[in-house]
Amino acid sequence: MEYILISMSLALFVGLMMSRVAKKVHLPAVTAYLITGLLLGPFGLGRLGINGLGFVSLENVENLSVISNMALGFIAFTIGNEFRVHDLRAMGKQAVTVGIVQAVFTTLLVDVVLVGLHFINPSLISVSSAITLGAIAAATAPAATLMVVRQYKADGPLTRLLLMVVAIDDAVGLVVFSVSFGIATALESGVISVLTVAVEPLLEIVFSILLGTVAGFVLNWSEQYFHSRGNRMSMTVAFVMLTVGISMVEFDIGPVHCGFSLLLVCMMTGTVFCNICPTSDELMDRLDRWTTPLSILFFVLSGAELDLNILRNPMVLMIGIVFIIARSLGKISGAAISSTATGCSKPIRKYLGITLLPQAGVALGMAQTAAQLSDGQIVRNVVLFAVLVYELVGPTLTKLALTAAGEIHLDPTEDPNQMPTLSPKNS
């Protein structure tokens, strides 16, 4: 336990110091935290094998997954704050359309490219793995996007639409992956299961929305019994942690395996709570300040768990480069097409796709499931390589895109670690 505490304190300290360096070279703080994770991880200081001085193994990092899950829960809860009724009336149709179209378009494009690669050289990748990677390509990481928005206080139509789209991406990506993985499994086994292709993913979404809705109402009811700001914030923290814990529970209803989406549950909790609680703005502001160290630890741990061994495999690198190019084209083109069709402004049509490139935890979770395929390790390693690239480059691209759209106004005196709330007043 003492070594875990020392490692976590070192991660926070080094991460904060690295953010000062990042500010000097005009990089987002999230990039600094990810690089800190690499430096302290099993391929950096952790290689020395000294407990407390970094993370000595990938298993050592995975043992702290509860921190990552908690951070994702708070991130999703904060994003739920963006789904206020007045914002949904103004941009809801655009967000849903763009969220669905760009995800499906990206999947189809990556499918075509990777299946084509299979026909050119069948030994590189199987058809089942190709369509599974296509589904994983749809996923976008909300955490890195939210961190950049917070750090630079991004404000404007593109920012608001972006936060809605990355939230919708979780539900869309879940359905697309479940269907594609069901088809991939059927191709290998010769048996198509309606349960895994259609029933289970739809139930997961429905159960997640119901759980999040109930949690949001109960949280608002519980808050009414407290008037102290500290107590109300503590109740909010407790409820987010509770929803994270419940969302990790899996169960069976007859032959159907059921579970919840952590991001979708916590996002729905935040959406319901922020729409019915009159003091939600103030509570979100206090909550964001409380969770800042947790967010830093999340990104440092994300950097530490990136497996650099994959860089030794030329085949993984080649497929990974093809995957990254195809996915990037899919996100940028899909966002441009869908935003044009829904009448979005020129800055949104031009820059939204670039801000959707970051990819992390959700994609890694999908890749872990895809490892069940006959050549599933190829899928996992390609996704690991893509995440390595996207996590290090994606935040900077998001910053540049939001700046070019005129929604980030850089202040040379601004503290990169100051994380204001994402309430409508600020966003």
Side-chain angles (χ1 to χ4, degrees):
M1 180 63 70
E2 61 269 26
Y3 296 127
I4 292 176
L5 290 175
I6 293 172
S7 296
M8 289 172 60
S9 62
L10 184 65
L12 275 173
F13 176 77
V14 178
L16 287 168
M17 297 305 294
M18 285 292 290
S19 71
R20 307 306 300 179
V21 177
K23 183 183 180 183
K24 297 293 184 183
V25 293
H26 307 293
L27 288 175
V30 62
T31 303
Y33 303 144
L34 291 165
I35 294 174
T36 299
L38 285 173
L39 293 176
L40 298 180
F43 302 94
L45 287 176
R47 187 175 286 273
L48 298 175
I50 303 174
N51 285 323
L53 188 63
F55 306 99
V56 298
S57 66
L58 291 174
E59 291 75 18
N60 191 217
V61 181
E62 290 171 2
N63 289 337
L64 298 174
S65 60
V66 64
I67 294 176
S68 298
N69 288 332
M70 281 178 57
L72 280 175
F74 283 107
I75 287 166
F77 183 80
T78 301
I79 289 177
N81 185 48
E82 295 303 307
F83 287 86
R84 291 179 180 264
V85 173
H86 56 81
D87 288 333
L88 288 174
R89 288 172 180 165
M91 307 182 73
K93 182 179 179 181
Q94 291 177 331
V96 172
T97 302
V98 173
I100 294 174
V101 172
Q102 58 83 23
V104 174
F105 185 86
T106 301
T107 294
L108 293 176
L109 181 59
V110 176
D111 280 347
V112 169
V113 171
L114 292 183
V115 170
L117 188 63
H118 163 78
F119 284 113
I120 294 173
N121 188 346
S123 64
L124 285 177
I125 188 171
S126 67
V127 174
S128 57
S129 291
I131 63 175
T132 301
L133 277 170
I136 295 174
T140 299
T145 302
L146 181 62
M147 183 71 85
V148 172
V149 169
R150 280 176 165 181
Q151 176 185 342
Y152 294 105
K153 304 178 185 178
D155 177 27
L158 172 58
T159 301
R160 287 191 287 273
L161 181 63
L162 168 63
L163 291 173
M164 290 185 181
V165 169
V166 295
I168 293 170
D169 233 26
D170 181 49
V172 177
L174 173 65
V175 174
V176 171
F177 176 76
S178 298
V179 172
S180 296
F181 184 65
I183 294 172
T185 303
L187 288 174
E188 294 196 342
S189 65
V191 179
I192 297 179
S193 172
V194 177
L195 289 179
T196 56
V197 173
V199 177
E200 290 182 358
L202 290 177
L203 282 178
E204 183 168 334
I205 291 174
V206 171
F207 286 159
S208 298
I209 292 175
L210 288 175
L211 176 59
T213 301
V214 171
F217 277 106
V218 176
L219 172 58
N220 180 60
W221 173 78
S222 302
E223 295 277 5
Q224 297 174 12
Y225 289 94
F226 300 93
H227 302 288
S228 162
R229 293 178 179 178
N231 286 339
R232 299 190 75 181
M233 188 193 73
S234 297
M235 178 62 73
T236 305
V237 170
F239 247 84
V240 174
M241 292 172 64
L242 177 63
T243 53
V244 169
I246 296 177
S247 66
M248 296 169 69
V249 174
E250 297 181 357
F251 56 96
D252 294 318
I253 301 178
V256 183
H257 183 72
C258 303
F260 303 96
S261 165
L262 185 154
L263 289 175
L264 196 55
V265 170
C266 294
M267 182 193 73
M268 197 65 196
T269 303
T271 299
V272 172
F273 175 70
C274 291
N275 275 288
I276 63 177
C277 178
T279 60
S280 62
D281 283 351
E282 178 187 351
L283 283 169
M284 292 300 296
D285 178 54
R286 295 177 66 83
L287 184 67
D288 284 340
R289 296 175 190 278
W290 183 88
T291 57
T292 295
L294 190 63
S295 298
I296 296 173
L297 280 175
F298 169 77
F299 286 104
V300 173
L301 291 174
S302 297
E305 69 181 356
L306 294 175
D307 190 348
L308 299 187
N309 284 322
I310 57 174
L311 300 178
R312 300 176 181 176
N313 190 330
M315 185 169 71
V316 170
L317 295 180
M318 188 187 74
I319 300 174
I321 291 172
V322 173
F323 173 82
I324 289 171
I325 293 174
R327 179 180 180 271
S328 300
L329 288 174
K331 285 290 181 183
I332 294 172
S333 301
I337 293 170
S338 55
S339 58
T340 299
T342 53
C344 294
S345 63
K346 184 177 179 181
I348 292 177
R349 299 197 303 267
K350 188 174 181 180
Y351 298 112
L352 178 61
I354 298 174
T355 64
L356 296 174
L357 294 181
Q359 193 173 43
V362 176
L364 291 174
M366 292 177 177
Q368 192 64 37
T369 302
Q372 303 170 26
L373 298 173
S374 57
D375 59 345
Q377 287 304 313
I378 289 292
V379 175
R380 181 178 179 277
N381 290 335
V382 167
V383 173
L384 279 170
F385 173 67
V387 167
L388 175 64
V389 174
Y390 280 126
E391 282 294 86
L392 293 177
V393 177
T396 300
L397 292 178
T398 299
K399 172 201 167 186
L400 293 174
L402 292 175
T403 302
E407 299 192 5
I408 289 180
H409 305 285
L410 296 179
D411 180 356
T413 65
E414 183 180 334
D415 183 356
N417 300 306
Q418 183 180 358
M419 298 186 185
T421 181
L422 284 176
S423 66
K425 295 178 181 179
N426 289 12
S427 63

